[in-house]
Amino acid sequence: MSDRPSLHVEPGKVVLSGAWTLAEMLPRLAELQAGLAAATDGNRQWDLSALTRLDSAAAVLLWRAWQATWPVSLEIGDMHRRIVERVAELPQEMPPPPVARVHLPEFIGRYLLKAAANLRGMIALFGQLILDTFFLLRHPRDIPWREFTANVYKAGALALPVTALVGFLIGVTISYLSALQLKSFGADLFIVNILGISIIRELGPVLVAVLVAGRSGSAMTAQIGVMRVTEEIDALSTMGISRSIRVVLPKIVGLTVAMPLLVLWTSAVAMFGGMLAALLQLDLSLVYFLENLPRVVPVSNLYIGLGKGFVFGFVIALVACYFGLHVKPNTESLSANTTSAVVTAITTVILVDAIFAVFTRQVGVPHL
Amino acid sequence: MSRQTVIELDGVCTRFGGNTVHRDLDLCVKEGQIVGLLGGSGSGKTTLLREILGLHRPDAGVVRLFGVDLNDPDIRVQRDIRRRLGMLFQHGALFSALSVYDNIAFPLRELRCLDEDWIRRLVHLKLAMVGLGVAHGKLMPAELSGGMVKRVALARALALEPELLLLDEPTAGLDPDRSQNFVELIGELQRELGLTVVMVTHDLNTLAGLASHVAILADHRIIAYGTRSEIMTIDHPFVTGFFGADRRKLL
Ligand SMILES: Nc1ncnc2c1ncn2[C@@H]1O[C@H](COP(=O)(O)OP(=O)(O)OP(=O)(O)O)[C@@H](O)[C@H]1O
Ligand SMILES: [Mg+2]
């Protein structure tokens, strides 16, 4: 095509012709840039009257080649002159966008400050919840029953299949591995103790907590976060609806109620998996297993497990809602906060679990 | 000189579930035209633009841009076509995680041919064109007013020096002064670069100031397409309703 951008050096002047547009220049950019650089030396006469088109990208290129001054003589169409003038009107010194440099102590300090601010924010949110609860006790008509039940259904009922599947597999695995060891000691019957204590007291609650943090916690953060991005939270406030009562409280209460039930369900399925594996591996009958379970595993273990479920549910929902409410209106912050919510929730759950272990060390462990 | 056909829609049909939006729609836009696309709310103007962009595939019919069928399987052909057009979305569609500066620089960086200084000058040039200053470059999209979002989105649409510009309600949310600037800017660009523009608008001033041609979308089709004066003579309930007493203003 004759429209290709080209440049000739004639004696005394440089002649440009063709369409100098970004799209036409791209395939032969290096060549054109080199040509311009070579033509600039000592040539102060430019003839641009044969240009068919000139866009601002090409104008910037020319202006740079002219080292930001008008050539001594320039022949150019009026319309094209306007384009070059617009480039010339720009301030010459363009401050480069600042590049943030982070030093290690600064990084650590900022991290710690952020963690402290998050802790404070979560305590404040907790306080707000208590105030809301008092408000609702005085105005029972405002209790958001629909949102509450919807959350129990979403976080609880819909999580039943996945928690059952994971619980069952874990039960089978633990039972199978323990049975191999116990068999070599001839201590087959202790499989009931091992499975009972470990699953009911420890594994059930923690397993459910990890699953729920990944499943419902992230969903809560993302939902509240998107409501912030799309200003739905603000729309709620303008209608005089409290976001903490209508959005946050039902989520936290819903998960707090649903978690112990999920723990009960998952522990039961995991025990069942363990029983099946014991039956196949050790020939231990289901009847024997069930008869001995209450004897060797005191019922307080079940209470501890359910108590953990209750606290874990609360912690996960509180962390998720906190991070959701602190999403800034952009996608980057949304993804960062969802990640933070899940990581923080799981870490906190493990921490709380350790605290539980310390304070309940005297309770529910049978002394033979 | 015979003008090249830029957009060609042929027998386009679109349905969303049971809701028919376009039925047997034809449109042909030539190089250098500024087409105002009119139609009632919900008549499928945004959908039509999305089909021209290839973001939505019509249920039947062909869309050709610069003579190339959008269903062409070659990815490179597709990419080169898309680099020749710029789109201003109805709600801006700025990248919320990037600053204003980076939003405009993004398509330029994607070319992988331009150096940072060149990009910087181009970005500031585009910002100046839409009436924004260097300081605005640092802001995040969430910190902009509604009208500023429009202007930044226009600057981004212009970044690659497109030959075809699609604008969805470009002046909605701008004050009259800015709309006037906008009309002048697009008009100037059109004269300088021979742009082809398709814009959806409900604003009679923008239409009168800018459009060389008008297309009317009603009854699921383009019922009329022609120069402004030709459109004025059309007798259709939508046309009479839309322009009402203002008919003469367009001429
Ligand atoms: N993704 C979608 N799914 C289902 N229906 C859709 C979808 N997008 C658009 N529609 C429907 O198609 C019709 C046309 O929508 P469109 O957004 O194109 O209207 P419009 O002409 O741009 O209106 P406005 O002037 O209000 O922006 C509407 O009835 C809308 O409900
Ligand atoms: Mg629309």
Side-chain angles (χ1 to χ4, degrees):
Chain A
M1 214 162 97
S2 64
D3 232 19
R4 288 213 321 208
S6 63
L7 152 152
H8 317 273
V9 183
E10 285 175 11
K13 68 175 181 179
V14 188
V15 180
L16 266 55
S17 60
W20 283 65
T21 62
L22 191 57
E24 299 283 349
M25 288 191 307
L26 271 184
R28 26 201 313 247
L29 198 57
E31 190 187 324
L32 287 173
Q33 268 178 313
L36 274 180
T40 315
D41 287 337
N43 268 311
R44 306 306 288 154
Q45 323 256 350
W46 291 72
D47 182 0
L48 275 62
S49 49
L51 283 185
T52 52
R53 281 193 296 174
L54 176 73
D55 69 6
S56 43
V60 169
L61 190 66
L62 280 177
W63 190 247
R64 284 203 314 184
W66 295 340
Q67 274 133 19
T69 45
W70 290 96
V72 177
S73 103
L74 175 65
E75 287 168 52
I76 187 170
D78 278 344
M79 227 135 64
H80 295 153
R81 181 181 289 273
R82 271 290 299 138
I83 299 175
V84 183
E85 271 168 5
R86 256 200 239 130
V87 175
E89 281 161 14
L90 282 181
Q92 283 315 308
E93 288 308 309
M94 223 72 77
V99 184
R101 282 185 56 111
V102 190
H103 304 284
L104 187 64
E106 199 185 329
F107 178 77
I108 295 173
R110 204 177 287 163
Y111 207 78
L112 287 179
L113 283 182
K114 213 162 86 186
N118 282 344
L119 187 64
R120 230 190 76 207
M122 276 181 230
I123 294 172
L125 184 61
F126 185 38
Q128 176 70 45
L129 285 179
I130 294 176
L131 292 182
D132 287 341
T133 314
F134 280 124
F135 174 84
L136 287 180
L137 286 180
R138 275 184 287 125
H139 304 89
R141 280 191 38 204
D142 285 347
I143 298 181
W145 288 112
R146 285 167 57 94
E147 286 83 353
F148 168 66
T149 49
N151 275 297
V152 172
Y153 176 72
K154 266 196 297 193
L158 294 183
L160 289 179
V162 65
T163 50
L165 178 68
V166 174
F168 182 80
L169 294 177
I170 294 276
V172 169
T173 315
I174 293 186
S175 176
Y176 179 73
L177 289 179
S178 317
L180 288 181
Q181 298 292 313
L182 291 174
K183 225 175 182 173
S184 59
F185 291 116
D188 297 15
L189 301 183
F190 281 97
I191 189 87
V192 185
N193 306 41
I194 291 182
L195 282 185
I197 301 267
S198 64
I199 289 180
I200 294 175
R201 185 180 174 124
E202 192 61 42
L203 268 177
V206 173
L207 198 64
V208 176
V210 171
L211 283 176
V212 166
R215 189 184 170 279
S216 310
S218 59
M220 286 177 186
T221 310
Q223 189 183 19
I224 298 181
V226 171
M227 284 177 80
R228 268 189 60 79
V229 174
T230 56
E231 299 181 323
E232 286 173 52
I233 295 258
D234 299 340
L236 272 183
S237 316
T238 37
M239 297 173 198
I241 296 169
S242 154
R243 65 176 191 195
S244 64
I245 289 184
R246 203 51 88 76
V247 180
V248 178
L249 193 69
K251 288 193 176 8
I252 295 187
V253 176
L255 195 59
T256 312
V257 169
M259 268 289 276
L261 302 174
L262 273 179
V263 168
L264 191 66
W265 158 257
T266 310
S267 298
V269 178
M271 287 302 292
F272 177 67
M275 273 157 54
L276 278 188
L279 175 69
L280 296 176
Q281 192 74 15
L282 300 173
D283 267 340
L284 212 61
S285 81
L286 298 185
V287 178
Y288 174 85
F289 202 109
L290 287 175
E291 270 176 355
N292 277 277
L293 192 59
R295 199 174 49 77
V296 298
V297 182
V299 74
S300 48
N301 283 298
L302 183 62
Y303 298 146
I304 292 177
L306 293 183
K308 280 184 183 177
F310 186 81
V311 175
F312 291 173
F314 177 78
V315 165
I316 292 171
L318 185 76
V319 169
C321 290
Y322 170 78
F323 279 104
L325 288 174
H326 285 76
V327 167
K328 294 194 192 65
N330 67 64
T331 48
E332 196 54 47
S333 163
L334 183 64
S335 83
N337 274 30
T338 311
T339 311
S340 301
V342 175
V343 172
T344 313
I346 293 181
T347 317
T348 318
V349 160
I350 305 285
L351 201 71
V352 173
D353 191 54
I355 296 173
F356 256 99
V358 172
F359 282 99
T360 59
R361 62 186 183 277
Q362 311 287 358
V363 186
V365 188
H367 302 281
L368 297 175
Chain B
M1 166 177 118
S2 79
R3 285 174 152 191
Q4 203 197 338
T5 304
V6 177
I7 304 176
E8 195 180 349
L9 299 174
D10 197 0
V12 167
C13 297
T14 316
R15 243 168 277 115
F16 288 112
N19 174 12
T20 301
V21 180
H22 304 136
R23 186 182 301 136
D24 229 357
L25 180 148
D26 301 321
L27 180 67
C28 179
V29 177
K30 301 262 189 225
E31 191 181 356
Q33 295 182 341
I34 300 190
V35 180
L37 181 60
L38 301 183
S41 181
S43 58
K45 305 179 294 295
T46 301
T47 310
L48 192 64
L49 289 192
R50 288 175 60 84
E51 281 168 350
I52 294 173
L53 284 166
L55 294 175
H56 184 94
R57 189 176 287 202
D59 294 309
V62 199
V63 181
R64 270 186 224 103
L65 287 186
F66 305 103
V68 179
D69 189 339
L70 274 190
N71 285 331
D72 194 300
D74 188 344
I75 293 178
R76 260 178 324 181
V77 172
Q78 294 281 328
R79 196 191 58 196
D80 289 346
I81 286 280
R82 290 210 164 67
R83 282 196 179 153
R84 295 168 70 177
L85 47 88
M87 166 80 181
L88 169 66
F89 286 90
Q90 195 167 7
H91 303 289
L94 297 179
F95 300 123
S96 62
L98 302 182
S99 67
V100 165
Y101 178 94
D102 289 325
N103 258 289
I104 304 172
F106 182 80
L108 294 167
R109 293 202 177 116
E110 275 310 290
L111 292 176
R112 295 174 208 287
C113 294
L114 312 188
D115 55 79
E116 265 312 306
D117 175 69
W118 194 351
I119 291 180
R120 197 152 64 229
R121 282 170 196 276
L122 275 177
V123 171
H124 288 301
L125 188 65
K126 305 288 156 176
L127 278 176
M129 273 186 190
V130 296
L132 293 171
V134 176
H136 291 112
K138 290 194 212 59
L139 297 179
M140 299 300 284
E143 298 163 340
L144 301 176
S145 74
M148 281 158 83
V149 169
K150 274 275 155 68
R151 287 188 276 154
V152 174
L154 177 65
R156 189 180 69 179
L158 291 174
L160 285 186
E161 316 283 348
E163 292 164 53
L164 168 62
L165 197 55
L166 303 173
L167 309 169
D168 201 349
E169 312 221 354
T171 50
L174 296 185
D175 55 65
D177 212 22
R178 296 257 187 249
S179 317
Q180 194 51 41
N181 283 349
F182 170 85
V183 167
E184 281 162 19
L185 172 69
I186 297 289
E188 212 168 302
L189 285 176
Q190 202 280 333
R191 281 190 299 279
E192 286 164 3
L193 296 173
L195 287 184
T196 313
V197 181
V198 176
M199 59 175 179
V200 170
T201 184
H202 294 140
D203 180 24
L204 283 181
N205 288 324
T206 312
L207 202 63
L210 209 49
S212 65
H213 289 66
V214 177
I216 294 187
L217 180 60
D219 306 335
H220 314 302
R221 300 183 296 115
I222 300 288
I223 54 162
Y225 177 60
T227 59
R228 291 212 303 264
S229 44
E230 284 167 16
I231 292 298
M232 286 307 92
T233 58
I234 297 225
D235 203 25
H236 184 277
F238 176 79
V239 183
T240 29
F242 188 88
F243 297 110
D246 283 340
R247 266 200 181 208
R248 221 150 292 114
K249 201 166 167 184
L250 268 187
L251 296 174

